[in-house]
């Protein structure tokens, strides 16, 4: 543990002209007294760490000293490729490996390029979760991630409806979609790949046995195919609607690109008023009602009749709510005749 910290301290000093004890303590997550002891230990080992005294003093390496301890470990190299998604790294338990990898890369760069990671971080940030949702990290994610990196079979218990199911899985890859973690895995002894929501796992145990990964397995391509299959599979109903030109423009935002694209591809020509009649694939009439309500007067539901009647009833309620208000009586004016006079 201390050896790794001493190496990290050397790399930090190699990547910057000088660092105060407080800065080193913050980076190394130790006390300033520990920093002082570590600096002394490095000096005794032959690393030329020099301490500048005074209010603006600090630690630095003398004489352009450069360590050769910049080789990346495998876990560090893998984590480095994920360094653009810090939240995902933290949730998978890879934050320390990524930090060490970035330090080693920084130490190996020319001085003029050492601020590249900072300048890039100030210009690009990936925020994966959806708006208006508090993302939660599945407690078993680090265990699953370890098995994925190590190609180890796992025995997992997960919720399927009202019951729990146990499976022996070959974990191929992890996907973070809109703040939700998924595992792409193959059931041991079977050829098909499946997708599991990790927050539905109740127990995960990694065994000693490793599985042989199929070299042709392409995680991005597999996920894209499954995601499209899932999106199509839930579109089990249809509604017929008329849309104004503005409604056509807003349709993909209301019902999703897949549903809107299929409906518009099969539509005919607009009528004389520019309104377009089309058949829209939807998840259910209930979901269609919630989605199409957002289009307001830019959509007219033609079928099914029950959904049309629901919109008509709500339109009548809205008309009653927004009927013209009576003008307030002018102060001092004589009251009008009583209705029962």
């Amino acid at each position: 543990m201390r050896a790794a910290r001493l190496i990290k301290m050397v790399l930090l000093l190699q990547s910057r002209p000088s660092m105060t004890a407080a800065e080193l303590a913050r980076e190394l997550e130790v006390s300033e007294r520990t920093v002082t002891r570590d600096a002394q230990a490095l000096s005794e080992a032959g690393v030329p760490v020099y301490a500048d005294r005074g209010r603006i003093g600090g630690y630095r390496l003398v004489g352009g000293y450069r360590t050769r301890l910049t080789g990346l470990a495998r876990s560090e190299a893998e984590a480095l490729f994920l360094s653009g998604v810090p939240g995902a790294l933290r949730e998978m338990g890879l934050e320390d490996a990524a930090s060490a990898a970035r330090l080693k890369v920084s130490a190996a760069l020319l001085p003029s390029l050492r601020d590249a990671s900072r300048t890039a971080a100030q210009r690009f940030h990936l925020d994966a979760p959806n708006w208006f949702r508090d993302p939660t990290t599945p407690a078993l994610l680090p265990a699953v991630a370890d098995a994925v990196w190590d190609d180890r079979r796992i025995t997992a218990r997960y919720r399927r409806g009202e019951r729990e199911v146990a499976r022996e899985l070959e974990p191929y890859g992890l996907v973070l979609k809109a703040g939700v973690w998924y595992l792409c895995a193959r059931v041991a002894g079977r050829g098909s790949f499946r997708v599991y929501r990790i927050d539905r796992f109740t127990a995960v145990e990694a065994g000693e046995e490793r599985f042989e990964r199929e070299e042709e397995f392409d995680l991005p391509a597999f996920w894209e195919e499954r995601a499209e299959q899932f999106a199509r599979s839930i579109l089990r109903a249809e509604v017929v609607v008329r849309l104004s030109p503005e409604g056509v423009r807003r349709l993909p935002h209301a019902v999703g690109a897949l549903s809107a694209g299929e409906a518009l591809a099969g539509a005919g020509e607009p009528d004389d008023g520019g309104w377009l009649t089309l058949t829209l694939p939807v998840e259910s009439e209930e979901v269609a009602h919630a989605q199409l309500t957002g289009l307001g007067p830019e959509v007219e539901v033609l079928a099914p009749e029950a959904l049309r009647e629901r919109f008509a009833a709500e339109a009548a309620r809205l008309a009653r709510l927004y009927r013209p208000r009576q003008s307030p009586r002018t102060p001092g004016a004589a009251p009008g005749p009583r209705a029962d006079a």
Side-chain angles (χ1 to χ4, degrees):
M1 184 72 176
R2 190 190 185 197
R5 189 176 71 240
L6 292 174
I7 291 172
K8 186 174 182 179
M9 184 174 180
V10 173
L11 292 171
L12 283 167
L13 293 174
Q14 185 172 305
S15 64
R16 307 179 194 181
S18 176
M19 295 185 69
T20 66
E23 290 171 337
L24 285 168
R26 185 167 55 252
E27 291 283 351
L28 300 173
E29 298 181 348
V30 296
S31 67
E32 293 187 29
R33 180 171 295 183
T34 299
V35 168
T36 301
R37 288 198 297 263
D38 286 352
Q40 183 177 353
L42 287 171
S43 181
E44 291 173 354
V47 178
V49 178
Y50 181 79
D52 290 316
R53 305 294 181 181
R55 183 173 58 85
I56 58 173
Y59 293 91
R60 59 185 174 87
L61 294 176
V62 180
Y65 176 86
R66 297 188 64 79
T67 177
R68 295 183 181 274
L69 297 172
T70 54
L72 292 178
R74 180 175 182 83
S75 63
E76 294 169 349
E78 291 169 336
L80 185 61
F81 285 100
L82 294 172
S83 59
V85 282
L89 282 169
R90 183 170 55 255
E91 292 175 7
M92 289 189 292
L94 295 173
E95 189 173 26
D96 289 342
S99 176
R102 286 192 294 269
L103 272 174
K104 291 181 177 182
V105 169
S106 178
L109 291 173
L110 293 172
S112 61
L113 299 177
R114 286 177 187 163
D115 66 341
S117 61
R118 182 184 61 81
T119 56
Q122 295 301 322
R123 288 164 174 79
F124 175 76
H125 174 69
L126 176 62
D127 184 10
N130 271 340
W131 290 103
F132 315 118
R133 173 187 293 175
D134 293 329
T136 56
T137 303
L140 297 173
L141 175 61
V144 176
D146 285 344
V148 169
W149 288 116
D150 211 21
D151 292 341
R152 289 188 183 276
R153 287 185 176 179
I154 61 174
T155 300
R157 297 189 64 83
Y158 65 96
R159 296 187 300 274
R160 176 186 285 179
E162 299 297 323
R163 62 192 181 99
E164 281 193 0
V165 179
R167 290 286 185 271
E168 186 178 3
L169 302 175
E170 296 175 352
Y172 266 68
L174 293 167
V175 175
L176 177 60
K177 170 70 172 178
V180 180
W181 284 96
Y182 296 88
L183 172 67
C184 302
R186 185 168 59 182
V187 179
R190 305 180 189 178
S192 60
F193 288 90
R194 300 181 183 181
V195 176
Y196 302 86
R197 277 186 61 146
I198 296 180
D199 58 6
R200 293 178 183 168
F201 284 5
T202 59
V204 172
E205 183 178 351
E208 295 298 323
E209 183 181 359
R210 287 186 169 88
F211 63 91
E212 187 174 349
R213 178 179 290 267
E214 289 187 11
E215 294 298 328
E216 62 271 20
F217 178 78
D218 185 333
L219 179 60
F222 169 78
W223 177 260
E224 182 179 1
E225 179 183 354
R226 284 303 175 90
E228 184 174 350
Q229 288 177 359
F230 172 76
R232 290 182 184 278
S233 70
I234 63 175
L235 301 177
R236 303 186 183 96
E238 291 183 343
V239 298
V240 181
V241 298
R242 287 179 67 240
L243 290 164
S244 70
E246 176 63 14
V248 171
R249 186 187 69 81
R250 290 163 49 187
L251 184 64
H253 303 286
V255 302
L258 179 63
S259 179
E262 290 190 1
L264 292 171
E269 295 297 321
D271 61 21
D272 293 341
W275 285 62
L276 190 66
T277 300
L278 49 81
T279 300
L280 187 68
V282 294
E283 185 174 345
S284 65
E285 289 185 21
E286 187 69 26
V287 172
H289 172 262
Q291 293 174 331
L292 295 175
T293 296
L295 295 179
E298 309 302 330
V299 62
E300 177 189 2
V301 175
L302 302 179
E305 188 62 30
L307 184 59
R308 178 179 174 84
E309 290 175 356
R310 183 172 179 178
F311 272 93
E314 291 192 350
R317 287 182 59 196
L318 284 171
R320 290 194 297 271
L321 284 173
Y322 290 98
R323 63 180 181 270
R325 293 176 177 174
Q326 293 182 352
S327 300
R329 182 181 298 168
T330 304
R338 290 171 51 113
D340 57 354

